[in-house]
Amino acid sequence: MADGAPAPADGTEGADGTGLRAALAGLTTRGRSFFAAGVAAAICAYVLGQSDLLRVGLLLAVLPLVCVLFLYRTRYRVAGSRRLSPARVPAGSEARVHLRVDNVSRLPTGLLMLQDRVPYVLGPRPRFVLDRVEPGGRREVSYRVRSDLRGRYPLGPLQLRLSDPFGMCELTRSFSSHDTLTVVPRVEALPPVRLRGESTGFGDGRQRSLALSGEDDVIPRGYRHGDDLRRVHWRSTARYGELMVRREEQPQRARCTVLLDTRGTAFLGAGPDSAFEWAVSGAASVLVHMLERGYSVRLLTDTGSAVPGEGADGFAGASQQSADAAGLLMDTLAVIDHSDSTTLSRAYDVLRGGGEGLLVAFFGELDEEQAAVAAKMRRRSGGAVAFVLDDWSWIREPTAVPGPSDGTEDRLRMLREAGWTAVRVPRGSSLEELWRQADRERTGLAAPAGTRGEGTGR
């Protein structure tokens, strides 16, 4: 909820600096017309010597000025607040905005017109007419907003328009508070399949690695109350002069890196149904899915940048902070856009310094050079899954006749030969089905291998 300071409706400086001059500028078309007609009638009466016409002219000219003075001298104060429900919403879903106006003065208000500023992409600007609000009373209204496009959209400031009973003058008071509606990518629920590179650490395939691999590699620590005496390391105890024990088995948390290709040259088209938006939604779905399964996840782009606040191994899942991590990742994806980069080399440099883990990539159009760079990324991952968007099918009309091969199959073949589980993504594809397809292809490739190393197993 964002609370606005009380907006004065008196003759003093208001929230937007209005005064008597601003009140005169608030004359409506009706008020200006009455004033102009009154002045014209007064001039004609003076020229023609008609005293009755002069009285009518003065009445017409003075009435708008009296209304201005009435609004200027009106002394009541109102406070406004706004609440979003929810403040973070997936693209294509609705959020409700609740507005509340409180009369904090001792006088009842007149007719109030309430208006909230919203970006055009969220819909028309909402307007409400509020009848008389008693002293200490409140009025609550609400409206809905919806956007098919990701982003962060400002809401506010809330504006209050005051009007006299004759509609001669209108004054606007603006509150200073703003809110932000975050529209995040759509997230698709994924089935819990077992992909290559998932076998070590937490997650569905959990395995512990010993902190020692032999007597010469023992890393002892000091004895703590409750430690099993059978784990006492006597050689280290004699060396340090205090009781030392072998370290416990150290669990390794399975890691997953989601690589999102944001190169502007790799995607054609724009809008909520474009290939790039599908890739962003797919990356969001995989990140949330892996967090829920207890993985340490990391979001990486072609520029080599990651989400601010990530640790060395990314955000840890299956913890109290996993919901906050998912929110931060979604906020980052809500505003992500095309990059000026034309190569995947920076992302490869980041992955080259990492360890084993599952790599899930969403690639746009790959030429031969970038396909070779992507193929090399496979060497530093325990398993790699690539979703390559078929650029031709995304830009042509659904009823168009399929065109000649654009080289996507050749790029997929290069990735598969390097060890990737590469899946082609045509227009209108479901990530859930492609996720299952990747598992089936992985199973078909892993079954005859049998003797593959542990790093490329399930």
Side-chain angles (χ1 to χ4, degrees):
M1 177 184 294
D3 292 323
D10 52 24
T12 61
E13 284 291 308
D16 52 0
T18 57
L20 182 59
R21 182 177 300 178
L24 290 172
L27 281 171
T28 62
T29 302
R30 179 185 298 178
R32 295 175 188 273
S33 299
F34 267 66
F35 183 78
V39 172
I43 294 175
C44 292
Y46 177 78
V47 173
L48 299 177
Q50 298 290 330
S51 58
D52 293 337
L53 182 60
L54 179 61
R55 295 189 189 95
V56 173
L58 291 178
L59 176 62
L60 293 177
V62 170
L63 181 59
L65 299 180
V66 171
C67 293
V68 168
L69 185 62
F70 171 78
L71 283 185
Y72 174 73
R73 298 299 299 175
T74 299
R75 297 184 178 277
Y76 56 80
R77 299 173 66 86
V78 293
S81 62
R82 182 191 302 103
R83 177 171 57 87
L84 300 181
S85 178
R88 183 188 293 118
V89 62
S93 300
E94 290 184 344
R96 184 168 287 275
V97 183
H98 302 268
L99 304 177
R100 192 180 78 181
V101 176
D102 296 270
N103 183 10
V104 296
S105 68
R106 298 181 179 180
L107 297 176
T109 70
L111 189 67
L112 302 178
M113 286 176 285
L114 197 62
Q115 175 178 278
D116 204 10
R117 287 188 179 182
V118 300
Y120 72 93
V121 71
L122 296 181
R125 181 171 295 183
R127 293 181 175 90
F128 305 93
V129 177
L130 304 181
D131 203 354
R132 177 180 179 275
V133 182
E134 65 279 3
R138 68 176 57 173
R139 296 291 184 271
E140 295 184 2
V141 293
S142 64
Y143 64 93
R144 294 178 295 179
V145 291
R146 179 181 182 273
S147 175
D148 292 327
L149 300 176
R150 299 174 294 107
R152 293 172 62 86
Y153 301 102
L155 300 179
L158 185 64
Q159 293 181 331
L160 199 63
R161 301 179 65 184
L162 313 175
S163 178
D164 66 278
F166 300 102
M168 297 288 182
C169 181
E170 290 183 353
L171 295 182
T172 301
R173 300 288 189 259
S174 294
F175 297 93
S176 59
S177 62
H178 294 76
D179 283 282
T180 301
L181 176 67
T182 304
V183 181
V184 300
R186 298 183 183 93
V187 174
E188 187 173 350
L190 300 179
V193 301
R194 291 178 60 85
L195 296 171
R196 293 158 67 181
E198 297 188 20
S199 59
T200 59
F202 294 118
D204 288 343
R206 295 176 180 171
Q207 174 180 321
R208 291 180 178 268
S209 61
L210 294 176
L212 56 98
S213 58
E215 286 295 313
D216 296 333
D217 297 325
V218 168
I219 306 177
R221 63 168 175 82
Y223 175 81
R224 299 172 185 170
H225 179 71
D227 284 339
D228 191 346
L229 293 178
R230 289 175 296 182
R231 293 196 297 110
V232 172
H233 191 252
W234 298 108
R235 181 180 301 177
S236 299
T237 299
R239 179 185 303 173
Y240 295 104
E242 59 177 317
L243 203 58
M244 306 293 290
V245 297
R246 294 183 177 89
R247 290 185 183 272
E248 298 175 350
E249 294 177 339
Q250 300 295 324
Q252 291 181 341
R253 184 178 295 275
R255 289 177 288 180
C256 176
T257 299
V258 177
L259 172 61
L260 177 60
D261 185 2
T262 64
R263 295 173 298 140
T265 57
F267 297 92
L268 298 178
D273 296 327
S274 64
F276 181 68
E277 291 302 318
W278 191 98
V280 174
S281 177
S285 302
V286 173
L287 287 169
V288 172
H289 176 69
M290 289 302 180
L291 273 175
E292 291 175 349
R293 297 184 62 186
Y295 281 71
S296 292
V297 300
R298 176 176 59 167
L299 174 62
L300 183 66
T301 66
D302 56 286
T303 60
S305 60
V307 179
E310 281 187 342
D313 295 331
F315 292 106
S319 64
Q320 295 180 351
Q321 293 79 23
S322 59
D324 296 335
L328 182 57
L329 290 168
M330 292 301 102
D331 289 345
T332 301
L333 290 174
V335 296
I336 201 166
D337 202 355
H338 293 293
S339 68
D340 297 330
S341 177
T342 59
T343 177
L344 299 171
S345 300
R346 294 180 182 176
Y348 170 68
D349 293 338
V350 174
L351 292 173
R352 185 170 55 181
E356 276 193 11
L358 178 64
L359 174 62
V360 181
F362 292 85
F363 292 121
E365 183 180 359
L366 294 173
D367 55 24
E368 187 174 355
E369 179 181 356
Q370 299 311 312
V373 175
K376 293 189 295 183
M377 297 178 183
R378 172 65 182 83
R379 302 172 185 173
R380 297 299 300 172
S381 62
V385 181
F387 297 97
V388 183
L389 279 77
D390 183 358
D391 198 54
W392 165 255
S393 67
W394 283 89
I395 61 176
R396 68 180 176 87
E397 293 296 329
T399 58
V401 178
S405 174
D406 56 358
T408 304
E409 288 298 334
D410 296 335
R411 310 297 180 250
L412 291 171
R413 188 180 304 109
M414 291 180 61
L415 295 177
R416 288 165 182 161
E417 291 175 352
W420 285 83
T421 301
V423 180
R424 185 171 187 158
V425 183
R427 182 177 183 177
S429 300
S430 168
L431 179 61
E432 179 182 359
E433 292 300 324
L434 296 178
W435 191 252
R436 296 182 186 275
Q437 178 183 342
D439 179 54
R440 290 193 298 268
E441 293 189 8
R442 189 273 315 163
T443 304
L445 291 174
T451 57
R452 293 196 177 207
E454 185 177 341
T456 58
R458 285 199 309 177

